[in-house]
Amino acid sequence: QVQLVESGGGLVQAGGSLKLSCAASGSIGSIDTMGWYRQAPGKQRELVAAITSGDDTNYVDSVKGRFSITRDNAKKTVYLQMNSLKPEDTGVYYCKMRIRQIMSWQYREVWGQGTLVTVSS
């Protein structure tokens, strides 16, 4: 049983900053790619940022230069630093990790519960 617990969401004014955290717990063998997704009201969920086990990163164009994804393997945690926030960044942010459990050779995708980010104009 592996779980991802997210934190850091909240209400912030446009131009402000927020940092999201997502920590994995349970019988974890290894973690491959980690990522952040978001879902705005009335829109489909989209990939915001991803980071590989080798620290390669990818971002959706709309957040490039403003967001930064990092990982701490010792803490089994992925972070999303969000700067210069805009109202269009508003939505529920979900973390996802590709995880192999102990005693398993199979990787599976595990999702966090989501954390709400609201950016006021």
Side-chain angles (χ1 to χ4, degrees):
Q1 290 295 112
V2 176
Q3 293 187 5
L4 305 185
V5 179
E6 302 179 26
S7 63
L11 176 64
V12 64
Q13 290 185 326
S17 298
L18 213 56
K19 187 174 184 178
L20 307 181
S21 299
C22 176
S25 62
S27 55
I28 297 171
S30 61
I31 305 176
D32 191 11
T33 302
M34 301 179 178
W36 288 94
Y37 294 72
R38 69 185 178 190
Q39 188 164 18
K43 296 184 178 180
Q44 294 184 336
R45 188 175 300 184
E46 67 172 347
L47 175 66
V48 177
I51 183 167
T52 69
S53 60
D55 286 337
D56 289 332
T57 58
N58 290 288
Y59 302 91
V60 66
D61 286 343
S62 60
V63 308
K64 287 182 178 178
R66 300 188 297 119
F67 290 12
S68 179
I69 185 171
T70 57
R71 63 190 286 165
D72 186 330
N73 293 326
K75 296 181 179 180
K76 299 180 177 64
T77 300
V78 62
Y79 305 93
L80 185 66
Q81 178 66 54
M82 304 183 293
N83 300 321
S84 302
L85 283 162
K86 304 175 180 179
E88 49 263 45
D89 294 318
T90 293
V92 179
Y93 284 69
Y94 301 88
C95 63
K96 186 180 77 172
M97 300 185 188
R98 189 169 184 262
I99 297 175
R100 180 181 61 81
Q101 291 184 271
I102 294 175
M103 300 299 294
S104 175
W105 291 263
Q106 183 74 44
Y107 278 87
R108 63 180 62 190
E109 306 292 333
V110 184
W111 289 86
Q113 82 282 4
T115 184
L116 178 62
V117 172
T118 303
V119 184
S120 62
S121 61

